[in-house]
Amino acid sequence: MPPPAEVALLRGRVMELAAANARLREAAEARDELAAAQLAAARAQLAVLAARVEELERRLGKDSSTSSRPPSSDSPYQKKTRDRSLRRRSGRSPGRQPGARSSTLRQSPDPDDTVECGPAACGCCGADLGDATVTGMQKRQVFEASPPPPPTVIEYQVQAKECARCGAVTEGVAPANATGRAQYGPLVHAKAALAVCAHHLPVGRAAALMASLTGVKVSAGFAAGVRGKAAARLGPFTDRVRVLLRSAGVLYADETPARADGHLHYVHVACTEFLTAMHTGGRSADDIDAGGILPGYAGTIVRDGYAGYIHLADALHAWCGAHGLRDLRDVYRWDPDGQVWARSMADLLIHANAAATAARAAGQHRLSDDQLAEIGAWYRGAVAKGITGNQRRRTKSGKDGLRLARRFRDHQDMILRFTTDLAVGFTSNQAERDVRPVKVQMRTSGGCWRTLDGLADFAMVQSYLSTAAKWGIDQLDALTQLFTDGPWLPAAIRPG
C-alpha cells in the first residue's frame, strides 16, 4: 500500500479534477444553451425574413390581373405570363368578327376632281396616242385632306333707330354668342373642347392643333378655359341624367383617385350602358352620396368590395366578378397546391357567367332551378374547402386564403347576384371604362389638376361626352350644340 500521505494527495487531486470537470460541464451546458437560443433566434428571424420576402415578392408581382390596379400600371418591360387570366379562351379568332361592320375605305361615286392618266405615246412603236380610242380604264381614288380655310368673320352691326312718330331710340339685339367687340364662335369653342376634353391634349398642343387644322389661332389660355365654359353650361344635362339614373334598375358604380390642388381626391361614377354621371369628393359615405344618385336608390348597384357603399341599405348590391377572379388568382398563384379551392371557385364563376350569358341570349329572365342548385352547391363546396384547408395554416398564403374564403362565405348573395337576376352584369367593367379617362387625363397633364374646381369641371364634361358617345352622337356635334343652343339631353334611360 502507498503511504497515507500519497493517498491523501491522490484523493485531493481527484477532487480537483472532479471539480474542474464539473466546471467544464457547466460551461459546455451554458454554451450549448446559448447556441440553442441563438439558433432558435436565428431560425425565428429567418422565418420572419422569409415571410417578408414572400410578402414583398407578392407585392412586386401584383399587376392588373391579380389586383385592382389598372392595366396602365403594368410594366411595359415585364413579359406577361401566358396563364395571365383565369378566364378561358373564347375560341374566336383575333380581329374583326364575322358579321361585324366593316370600316374599309370605299370609292366615292361623286369625286370632287377627275384627272385622266392616259399614255402619251405607244409603248410599242412610239406613235402619238392623243386622239386614240380609250379601250379600258381603271379608277383609283385618293382621299386627301383640304387645307384649313381662313376663319369666317361675321360682323353683327347692332343698330339703333329713331322712331319717326315718337322720337324714341330703339337698339337692336345681337345673338347670344356675340357679347363683346370680338370673340370666338360656338364651333371654335366646340373644336377646342374636343381637343382638350375629348382627346385629353395639353392646352398648348391643343392650341397648336387648332391653328393647323382649322386656321384659327387661339391662345393656350383660351384652350385652358374652354373646359370651364363647357361645364358652366351643363347644369340641365346633369339634372336630367341624375333623374334617369335613379329610375334605372341596375347601376354600375366605381371610384378612382385623382390628385388636385396638391391633395388626393376621388372621382366617383354611377352609370349604365347609356348614361354616365361623375362627381368629385373624398371616399367617405357622404362623398359617395354627394352625387345625388345613390342615396335612396332602390335598384341594384354593381360595384367592387369597397365598404364605403354599405350604408346604401335601400339598394341590392352585387360584387364585381372580375375583382373576385383577380383575388382568387392572387392567392392561387403563390400557393397552387394549398389553394385548390380558389381555382375551383374561379372555374365556378366562369361557368356561371357563361350560363347567365347564354340565358340572356336565349331571352330568359333567370337561370333554371337546376342550374341555380348546381351553382350553389359548387360554391358552398369550394368555400368549405377553402376554410378547412387554411384554418390551421400560419403562413401568409394560408392567412390570405382563409380571409378570402370567409369573404366568399359571408357575401354569397352579392357575389352570385348575376345568376339570380340576369339584368345584373357579371362585372363592373362599365363603370371602370367610364372612369378611366381620369387616368388618361392625369398622364397628359403632369399627374394632377391645379384646382379642385378644374377636376370637378373635368368630371362634368366627361359625363356629357361619355353619355353622348353611348347614344351614338358625335362628340363634336354634341359640343357644338352645347355652345350653340345648350346641352343635348338624353330622352330616356336607353334609346328607342
Side-chain angles (χ1 to χ4, degrees):
M1 281 186 68
E6 186 176 353
V7 172
L9 181 63
L10 291 175
R11 287 179 178 174
R13 184 59 178 165
V14 169
M15 293 178 64
E16 290 178 1
L17 292 176
N21 188 29
R23 290 194 298 270
L24 291 175
R25 287 181 180 275
E26 291 177 358
E29 290 176 356
R31 183 183 58 195
D32 292 343
E33 291 177 358
L34 177 62
Q38 291 176 341
L39 181 60
R43 287 176 176 174
Q45 185 179 14
L46 182 61
V48 171
L49 293 176
R52 180 62 175 166
V53 169
E54 180 183 357
E55 175 64 17
L56 293 176
E57 287 180 345
R58 294 187 64 175
R59 291 184 183 181
L60 188 63
K62 284 184 179 293
D63 55 24
S64 59
S65 68
T66 58
S67 68
S68 297
R69 294 179 181 177
S72 58
S73 67
D74 292 345
S75 172
Y77 307 106
Q78 186 174 358
K79 187 176 181 180
K80 297 177 181 179
T81 59
R82 288 192 175 185
D83 189 20
R84 182 174 171 82
S85 174
L86 287 173
R87 300 184 183 184
R88 296 189 180 95
R89 295 183 179 274
S90 63
R92 297 183 298 181
S93 59
R96 185 176 68 88
Q97 300 301 310
R101 187 174 181 179
S102 173
S103 58
T104 304
L105 182 64
R106 303 187 184 280
Q107 290 190 342
S108 170
D110 186 22
D112 298 303
D113 195 8
T114 302
V115 179
E116 295 181 351
C117 301
C122 177
C124 179
C125 64
D128 181 43
L129 298 179
D131 297 328
T133 303
V134 177
T135 60
M137 180 179 61
Q138 294 180 358
K139 293 182 179 180
R140 302 182 182 183
Q141 294 184 351
V142 177
F143 289 70
E144 186 57 270
S146 302
T152 301
V153 181
I154 303 175
E155 181 177 282
Y156 295 95
Q157 299 178 347
V158 182
Q159 299 176 345
K161 295 185 177 181
E162 182 179 352
C163 179
R165 186 173 63 181
C166 66
V169 177
T170 304
E171 189 175 286
V173 179
N177 58 6
T179 57
R181 291 173 55 84
Q183 58 269 303
Y184 294 114
L187 190 56
V188 175
H189 281 82
K191 289 187 176 181
L194 181 72
V196 174
C197 304
H199 295 289
H200 313 288
L201 290 181
V203 293
R205 292 171 59 186
L209 186 66
M210 284 283 294
S212 299
L213 297 183
T214 67
V216 180
K217 296 182 179 180
V218 301
S219 66
F222 172 82
V226 73
R227 179 182 287 121
K229 294 179 181 179
R233 295 169 170 261
L234 286 174
F237 168 81
T238 302
D239 295 338
R240 175 64 175 167
V241 170
R242 283 175 178 169
V243 172
L244 292 177
L245 284 174
R246 288 182 62 84
S247 63
V250 179
L251 290 183
Y252 298 86
D254 198 10
E255 71 289 328
T256 192
R259 186 166 292 277
D261 193 24
H263 300 281
L264 189 65
H265 301 273
Y266 282 83
V267 177
H268 298 265
V269 62
C271 61
T272 66
E273 185 181 358
F274 297 103
L275 300 169
T276 303
M278 297 185 192
H279 73 278
T280 59
R283 214 183 180 200
S284 66
D286 292 338
D287 294 315
I288 292 175
D289 294 346
I293 298 171
L294 299 182
Y297 175 71
T300 302
I301 302 174
V302 184
R303 59 177 181 86
D304 56 21
Y306 175 52
Y309 297 96
I310 293 178
H311 70 286
L312 302 171
D314 295 329
L316 294 175
H317 293 253
W319 274 12
C320 171
H323 284 76
L325 287 176
R326 287 197 289 264
D327 292 339
L328 292 167
R329 174 180 170 80
D330 187 34
V331 299
Y332 178 79
R333 175 184 180 184
W334 295 101
D335 187 12
D337 294 331
Q339 306 298 335
V340 178
W341 77 273
R343 183 76 203 200
S344 177
M345 181 63 76
D347 290 340
L348 164 65
L349 294 178
I350 296 169
H351 166 74
N353 181 38
T357 302
R360 287 191 207 98
Q364 301 176 14
H365 299 290
R366 62 187 302 273
L367 295 178
S368 66
D369 293 338
D370 292 340
Q371 288 176 307
L372 291 175
E374 176 194 9
I375 291 171
W378 188 346
Y379 186 99
R380 290 186 294 272
V383 167
K385 175 64 175 176
I387 293 176
T388 57
N390 290 293
Q391 262 183 339
R392 301 185 181 278
R393 301 181 64 190
R394 295 295 178 262
T395 61
K396 175 64 176 175
S397 59
K399 293 178 181 179
D400 289 345
L402 180 60
R403 186 184 305 111
L404 184 60
R406 286 173 174 171
R407 186 197 309 170
F408 271 79
R409 178 197 62 188
D410 296 339
H411 301 96
Q412 177 177 345
D413 291 341
M414 287 194 292
I415 294 174
L416 294 182
R417 186 81 65 194
F418 71 96
T419 64
T420 57
D421 183 0
L422 295 185
V424 176
F426 176 63
T427 72
S428 61
N429 287 352
Q430 181 68 62
E432 293 189 359
R433 285 193 297 266
D434 288 348
V435 83
R436 189 168 296 159
V438 175
K439 299 304 183 185
V440 178
Q441 183 65 40
M442 288 177 64
R443 284 178 173 263
T444 62
S445 59
C448 66
W449 282 262
R450 291 188 176 182
T451 65
L452 185 57
D453 289 338
L455 178 60
D457 290 343
F458 170 85
M460 188 176 294
V461 176
Q462 190 59 42
S463 301
Y464 179 67
L465 294 175
S466 174
T467 303
K470 290 177 179 180
W471 281 67
I473 298 175
D474 182 77
Q475 292 179 325
L476 180 58
D477 292 340
L479 290 169
T480 302
Q481 179 176 341
L482 173 64
F483 286 105
T484 304
D485 302 318
W488 162 83
L489 301 178
I493 297 177
R494 59 179 59 84

